[in-house]
Amino acid sequence: MFRRTPIVVVTALVASLAGVPLIARAANALQSGETPAAADPLVKRSDTGSYIVQLDDAPVAEYGGDIAGLPATRVLPGGKLVKTASQVVGYVKHLAEERQALLETVPEVKKLYDYSYTYSGFSAQMSYDEAVKLAKSSGVKSVEPSELQRQDTVDTPRFLGMSGKGGAWQQAGGVDRAGDGVIIGVIDSGFVPERASFAPIKTSKRSDAIVAKKWKGTCQAGEEAPVTCNNKVIGARYFDKGIGSRPIAEEFKSPRDYGGHGTHTASTAGGNHDVEMSVMGRDYGKGSGIAPQARLAIYKVLWAVDQSGGGSGTDADIVAGIDAAVADGVDVINYSVSGSGSTYVNATGLAFLRAAKAGVFVATSAGNTGPGVGTVGKNYPWVTTVANGTHDRDIQTTVTLGDGKSYTGAGIGAGAPSAPVILAKDAGPDGVNESSLCQGGTLDPAKVRGKIVVCDRGVNDRVDKSAQVKKAGGVGMILLNITPGTQDADLHTVPTVHLGDKVAPAVKEYVGGTANPAATIGPGTPVRVTAPKVATSSSRGPSPAGNGDLLKPDIMAPGTNVLAATTAFSAAGGEYAFMSGTSMASPHIAGAAAVLKGRHPGWSPMAIKSALLTTGTDQDTSGKPIRNDSGSEANPFGYGAGLVQPKKAMDPGLVYDSSYADWAKFVCGSGQVPATHELCVGGKIDPSDLNYPTIAVGDLAGKQTVTRTVTNVGRLPEIYVPKVEGLAKVKVTVTPRILITLPGHKATYKVTFENTGAPLEQYSFGKLTWKSNQHAVTSTLAIKPLTVKAPTQVTGTGTAGSVQVPITAGYSGTLNTTAVGLTAATIAEADLKNPGGVSFPTANPQINDHVAKFTVNVQAGVKYARFSTFDADYPAGTDLDVFVYKASTATLLGSSTGGSAEEQVDLAQPAGGPVDVYVDLFAGADHQQVKLNHWELQNPQGNLTVSPPEQPVQTAGETSVTASWTGLTAGMRYLGQLHYSDGTDGSGSTVVRVDS
């Protein structure tokens, strides 16, 4: 990545909190008199001991020929990167010479990988001082830490319309042509070559020739448990220089998968057709990958680093895998790995940018941190970000209690006969704090042996809970949701039923209030259910990046209880297992893209993306609007353009295409890079104007017009007319009112959105569909009308002064502006030591040497609360991260994890009550006194005034107000807020920060 810019997640407290007023600190006291060592602000310390160095020279995918004697290698629109081309070979040699010259200046550095094709540079193990030296060297653009990333964790072809009459497979020419000649690169944890999903396939001379022409990869057998390739899995490589010695001893130093995640995603995307699948001795019939005739190339970048088998990988290895996949000639990449949601220009994002430029379609998982708003990750417009939905085959299990009452939930396996049952909170060792979560060390074998244990969901993995039950001698588990959420048919180590939150109280009441309670767990049974529903864990929009002007996630695919091949570790000694997560949803899109690519080899990645998005559906199998699995109403921030429908995507009629030049202007217009950045060479656009298949405007100030261009990819001329649905009280004007499109030709239209009374400060959703006699091309709309479009914050200095605040009105009427504050910061301090340099455990926050916890009681009626740290208070090179939780819980309310000591978390209109604020000393001096600044804005203080307090405004009209302050104490940090109101429900605000 480039240096992490401050990331601020703003979340409103929506539930009432209770507690006593308190600011407490919890950190270990340090010895005084020690002098902290300064660090260099150019480079952030790496917790992995390795760094990624980016050269000034462009990568192959975008080198324009500006070096004498070296012709251009950039990939032109519609082209492919050919690494054996003479000009590419010559330029790669030049990059190698540049790398070598740099490395000679730091001879102790151990190089890990060269990057040439999608990223220009290298990764290496080095000291912090060496990283700083390289960052200051001529020819180096950036040096960033190689951080640790984690995985985001079959009957679906029928559900998605791949099979059957008129299905996508039939349109592709039959199941033996679905994905034919297309190569899917799977960047994950490897694969198990012995699985039937990866057996040799029958191919044609035509498809073999197509593959041979573009495939430049290799099959790397590996040192431990070596793998072999065939005409199905045509390549396999592994990348472990960045992960180093972290993998557990059981891992394989080869492309062979240990944890099972990569095998599952690869077989879902492109596994063979008609593979017999069974789980725990139960036959689930024949399954298939989405693109069964596609070839697979495996890139192992994730490794098991603990006994859970979960995959983790460093950015150094991941970027190497992306670089290799594109150079090897893959057409599609599946990437079910975690990632940032707040930036477009980290190392992974830039590598995928060049991959897309080189003609590679990239499917990525949206993340599993839902259902909170703004949690979606990997918001790059050049990739397709996939949400997790349920599908219509569920595996259900019934538990019958001793009182005769039965409850049905998720579960597989043969079940468990009648046995005594106990609540986990009553099953702990004497003297140990009660735990209903079935975590390690909380169950007493003397109390659990021979019993079924009732465990609450949360904190530790679901399958870890059953493992703890088995370890303590239990014979079964009843897993209870304590809040709305999915019910998952995991592969547990004891018979398990997973029940929903609505029945949890009744189960607990029986078990806890009955003498000698008992229960029987029945066997798992496949059933048909209404689908899809958005999984609770699936990360939600709006996108933290881009001010809501890009709709993410893009689309939804089945990701809950997906059956596919995996490893013996994940299948309890078997070969297949059900897994859930956006990790499982993403390969469905990768497979669908491969089928489309095989049918339409000339389509660009964005044309394929458009076909998938504009044909998605927002209705479930009953014909009703998609809902969340908790039962509440869903919206496009959960499912994007809807459930993917590959059958319709094969012939979409029109597509929205975009290119590298468009993406660069988008990034420049987002404000994430300065105007001098290389991506701004071609200028900038409003992010809402990117030629995207969906339309989002996150800051509608009364009226805004966006432009879109469509291309007719059909065989015949067609006439299209627009139809707008939804967006109540937002006037939508489409011009022209008719589109006449010729095959292969483009047509441009404009859409004007004007607020005519829609609720302010909240999103409205709708659809714009262009209809012809043959096609319906739908764009999902997400529009947020504002009371005013004004700066989120203005700043000033001095004990007295003023600042002018520009405003664009979102309505016609009277604008009322009032002032709250200014309020001086309340400061709490703690001594920290031994900077961690590792990711904060957001699911299980804890204090330690380098993490302090401050408990703050937010007063009722507060309009705005802020928690901040400042660079000016610390030596150069100090890096702090701040996390705010609902007190005594793991409910994250907001976080700020930039690359410096300047951090800020805002809570808009909190309900009041205690919150826990964790401050993590990520990097810097060994000893550091940290200061948490805290403000609560509730009432005017008399020191901040606004002029004029009232003025007439017109929709989309520009005006301003002046904020003035006086009587402040010198040397303090103050915070206030201007509140804008239309006199009714509409409101907006600007924070006023004054350093006196």
Side-chain angles (χ1 to χ4, degrees), residues 356-484:
K357 182 179 183 181
V360 179
F361 178 96
V362 180
T364 68
S365 51
N368 300 321
T369 54
V373 298
T375 52
V376 62
K378 289 153 289 184
N379 292 305
Y380 324 119
W382 45 86
V383 306
T384 301
T385 308
V386 189
N388 169 13
T390 62
H391 61 98
D392 66 345
R393 182 174 80 166
D394 197 13
I395 311 299
Q396 294 185 350
T397 294
T398 297
V399 59
T400 302
L401 303 180
D403 61 1
K405 293 181 180 179
S406 296
Y407 303 96
T408 298
I412 58 178
S418 180
V421 59
I422 186 172
L423 297 175
K425 75 179 188 66
D426 299 327
D430 293 339
V432 174
N433 291 335
E434 73 171 41
S435 173
S436 60
L437 296 170
C438 294
Q439 294 175 284
T442 64
L443 299 178
D444 183 354
K447 299 177 181 178
V448 170
R449 191 173 294 111
K451 295 179 181 177
I452 295 171
V453 182
V454 180
C455 304
D456 286 351
R457 182 178 187 169
V459 184
N460 58 324
D461 293 339
R462 298 184 300 269
V463 293
D464 179 61
K465 297 175 187 293
S466 61
Q468 298 302 326
V469 170
K470 182 176 181 180
K471 183 178 179 181
V475 297
M477 179 176 73
I478 302 173
L479 178 60
L480 300 178
N481 284 349
I482 54 176
T483 59

Side-chain angles (χ1 to χ4, degrees), residues 535-726:
T536 295
S537 61
S538 188
S539 295
R540 304 308 209 268
S543 164
N547 197 33
D549 283 348
L550 185 75
L551 179 60
K552 288 283 183 171
D554 288 304
I555 199 161
M556 185 169 70
T560 300
N561 296 337
V562 175
L563 177 60
T566 189
T567 62
F569 173 86
S570 287
E575 298 184 353
Y576 302 92
F578 293 92
M579 291 187 179
S580 298
T582 55
S583 282
M584 284 62 249
S586 180
H588 285 85
I589 298 300
V595 175
L596 264 69
K597 183 70 174 178
R599 181 70 178 84
H600 304 286
W603 282 11
S604 71
M606 296 303 103
I608 294 172
K609 176 176 184 171
S610 176
L612 294 170
L613 268 60
T614 60
T615 56
T617 178
D618 60 3
Q619 295 186 334
D620 61 23
T621 50
S622 70
K624 297 180 179 179
I626 293 173
R627 303 187 71 81
N628 297 315
D629 66 2
S630 62
S632 61
E633 182 180 347
N635 63 46
F637 287 148
Y639 54 69
L643 177 71
V644 65
Q645 296 189 104
K647 178 178 178 179
K648 292 185 177 181
M650 297 293 286
D651 180 24
L654 304 173
V655 297
Y656 296 82
D657 211 344
S658 59
S659 66
Y660 176 85
D662 301 316
W663 310 327
K665 292 176 183 178
F666 168 91
V667 174
C668 189
S670 74
Q672 288 206 356
V673 297
T676 55
H677 194 277
E678 60 190 22
L679 291 174
C680 294
V681 171
K684 65 180 181 180
I685 59 173
D686 185 301
S688 294
D689 279 327
L690 179 67
N691 200 43
Y692 215 66
T694 56
I695 299 176
V697 180
D699 53 0
L700 179 65
K703 188 176 183 179
Q704 184 170 336
T705 299
V706 300
T707 303
R708 290 292 188 270
T709 298
V710 291
T711 303
N712 183 340
V713 293
R715 297 180 179 179
L716 299 172
E718 287 192 80
I719 299 174
Y720 286 87
V721 294
K723 178 182 179 182
V724 177
E725 302 172 78

Side-chain angles (χ1 to χ4, degrees), residues 43 163 196 263 390 418 498 604 707 721 832 890 912 914 934 937 944 948:
V43 182
S163 58
T263 302
T390 62
S418 180
H498 187 174
S604 71
T707 303
V721 294
L832 297 180
H934 158 232
L937 304 182
L944 177 65

Side-chain angles (χ1 to χ4, degrees), residues 809-831:
Y811 66 100
S812 294
T814 300
L815 172 64
N816 301 295
T817 309
T818 57
V820 175
L822 296 164
T823 301
T826 299
I827 301 175
E829 300 185 38
D831 289 317

Side-chain angles (χ1 to χ4, degrees), residues 844-896:
N844 187 25
Q846 295 179 352
I847 63 170
N848 52 46
D849 282 355
H850 57 85
V851 177
K853 182 177 77 171
F854 304 89
T855 299
V856 178
N857 190 72
V858 179
Q859 299 298 309
V862 165
K863 295 178 173 63
Y864 185 88
R866 173 176 289 184
F867 305 91
S868 292
T869 58
F870 296 95
D871 276 339
D873 294 339
Y874 305 96
T878 303
D879 184 358
L880 302 177
D881 292 329
V882 177
F883 304 85
V884 181
Y885 289 81
K886 181 179 177 181
S888 302
T889 74
T891 302
L892 182 64
L893 303 175
S895 64
S896 182

Side-chain angles (χ1 to χ4, degrees), residues 458-540:
V459 184
N460 58 324
D461 293 339
R462 298 184 300 269
V463 293
D464 179 61
K465 297 175 187 293
S466 61
Q468 298 302 326
V469 170
K470 182 176 181 180
K471 183 178 179 181
V475 297
M477 179 176 73
I478 302 173
L479 178 60
L480 300 178
N481 284 349
I482 54 176
T483 59
T486 54
Q487 297 167 49
D488 301 280
D490 300 304
L491 191 59
H492 289 281
T493 50
V494 295
T496 295
V497 58
H498 187 174
L499 301 178
D501 61 295
K502 291 182 173 59
V503 303
V507 174
K508 288 187 175 183
E509 182 180 3
Y510 164 74
V511 177
T514 303
N516 303 316
T520 302
I521 300 176
T525 303
V527 296
R528 293 285 178 223
V529 295
T530 299
K533 297 177 181 177
V534 185
T536 295
S537 61
S538 188
S539 295
R540 304 308 209 268

Side-chain angles (χ1 to χ4, degrees), residues 42 83 91 120 156 185 187 282 286 291 316 467 496 606 629 678 682 763 866-867 887:
L42 290 175
K83 73 176 182 180
Y91 185 63
S120 171
T156 49
I187 298 176
R282 182 173 289 269
K286 294 182 178 181
T496 295
M606 296 303 103
D629 66 2
E678 60 190 22
Y763 276 92
R866 173 176 289 184
F867 305 91

